[in-house]
Amino acid sequence: MIRFEHPLSERVRSFLRIEHLFNRFHAECERDNGPWAHHLALFTLFEIMECAARAELKLDILQELERQKKLLSSSRLTASEITLRHEELQKVAENLQGIQQKFGQHLRENEWLMAIKQRMLVPGGTSPFDLSSYYFWQQQSFEYRLADLHRWIATLMPTYHAINTLLNILRSNTRAVDCIATGGNYQHNSLAQNIHMLTIELDSNRHALPEVSANKYFTHIRFLSASQECARGRPITEDVPFKLIMSSFDPVVV
């Protein structure tokens, strides 16, 4: 089975992008196969800087964390589970608030890193003769480079942990419905206002990709064939069974 997540708000879209980049950063950090994995990890670090630089992001996260704490009283969790969840929410909020500087500011103040960031935008711009100091860093041991990467990402981690906590909540508050896209198309008149993300789960052997258009008034899912030859595959005309999973930040999905 394969799952495709479709955010229904710009906030959730930002959360998913940032989560994706952090996951990629950590995966590349741990690959001990020469300097190229750490080159990609550093490039991903620069992507995280740009993706999470929006000034309102921190406020959005803190407001949702606070709202989640208030929602605990109406949840179906046991008293001990509520206490643990409250402590988790409180901890990630305090850690995020503890970072006083602008997101990634310590990286922007590092001239060496910013020179590399600029050169990464130029095809072949990080060749050894262009950036000899970066080439020197790449020739250091795996442990040396990994320590630097962990040091550079450290003050960004509270943002990741807070977003990860909220996405775990979102993915746990779900309602799943078995559906069939007749002739490759599925339509639904409306979604509840508290739905923040749709997930389409289907058999990966079908080589099908969902194209989703959704708002509170109308939902349309069209399935296209997976193709590596063009940006969009051809529309699928046969019936496609799939599971539609509706996710919400609220305790109960209506």
Side-chain angles (χ1 to χ4, degrees):
M1 303 299 285
I2 185 170
R3 285 188 169 197
F4 297 91
E5 292 181 331
H6 182 81
L8 298 181
S9 70
E10 189 59 36
R11 180 181 58 171
V12 176
R13 185 173 288 108
S14 294
F15 288 178
L16 291 174
R17 284 175 176 158
I18 294 168
E19 178 196 48
H20 168 75
L21 289 172
F22 270 100
N23 288 345
R24 192 173 80 192
F25 174 86
H26 290 129
E28 294 301 333
C29 275
E30 300 306 323
R31 285 205 297 137
D32 187 4
N33 63 341
W36 299 117
H38 285 176
H39 174 79
L40 181 55
L42 189 56
F43 181 80
T44 304
L45 178 63
F46 296 146
E47 284 191 278
I48 292 171
M49 284 175 56
E50 298 302 321
C51 190
R54 185 171 59 89
E56 298 82 8
L57 176 67
K58 182 176 180 179
L59 180 60
D60 286 348
I61 296 172
L62 290 172
Q63 286 178 340
E64 186 58 42
L65 289 171
E66 186 62 31
R67 198 176 75 89
Q68 287 300 320
K69 285 192 286 186
K70 293 177 180 178
L71 287 172
L72 285 174
S73 60
S74 59
S75 71
R76 297 179 180 178
L77 300 174
T78 64
S80 60
E81 288 173 332
I82 289 176
T83 299
L84 287 174
R85 177 65 63 83
H86 188 277
E87 290 176 351
E88 178 189 15
L89 294 169
Q90 185 67 26
K91 181 179 178 181
V92 295
E94 288 177 354
N95 289 342
L96 184 57
Q97 287 176 318
I99 304 299
Q100 299 299 322
Q101 62 184 0
K102 182 180 177 183
F103 186 88
Q105 184 62 32
H106 67 296
L107 301 177
R108 293 182 177 88
E109 293 173 354
N110 186 316
E111 294 182 7
W112 185 77
L113 285 174
M114 291 304 95
I116 296 170
K117 182 175 182 289
Q118 271 194 324
R119 295 301 300 176
M120 279 187 173
L121 300 177
V122 180
T126 57
S127 300
F129 60 83
D130 284 306
L131 283 176
S132 57
S133 65
Y134 181 50
Y135 173 69
F136 178 82
W137 180 81
Q138 290 178 305
Q139 302 314 304
Q140 303 307 303
S141 68
F142 171 84
E143 291 77 15
Y144 182 96
R145 288 182 272 111
L146 184 62
D148 278 343
L149 289 166
H150 284 170
R151 176 164 54 87
W152 294 329
I153 198 73
T155 61
L156 310 185
M157 290 304 294
T159 299
Y160 168 71
H161 291 314
I163 287 176
N164 187 58
T165 297
L166 290 176
L167 288 177
N168 285 340
I169 292 172
L170 178 63
R171 290 174 177 133
S172 66
N173 294 328
T174 63
R175 177 189 172 196
V177 181
D178 290 321
C179 304
I180 295 180
T182 306
N185 285 272
Y186 173 83
Q187 294 184 5
H188 187 72
N189 287 338
S190 63
L191 291 171
Q193 291 186 1
N194 64 342
I195 302 300
H196 302 107
M197 184 174 72
L198 297 178
T199 301
I200 294 91
E201 181 182 273
L202 68 158
D203 188 343
S204 58
N205 291 327
R206 289 188 172 273
H207 297 275
L209 307 174
E211 186 178 70
V212 182
S213 176
N215 55 47
K216 63 181 179 179
Y217 303 109
F218 185 75
T219 301
H220 177 234
I221 302 173
R222 179 171 67 162
F223 287 93
L224 308 173
S225 59
S227 170
Q228 286 72 53
E229 301 298 327
C230 55
R232 298 176 65 196
R234 63 173 180 80
I236 293 176
T237 56
E238 63 265 22
D239 292 353
V240 179
F242 68 99
K243 182 175 290 185
L244 180 62
I245 303 169
M246 295 166 280
S247 302
S248 174
F249 284 117
D250 299 326
V252 178
V253 176
V254 179

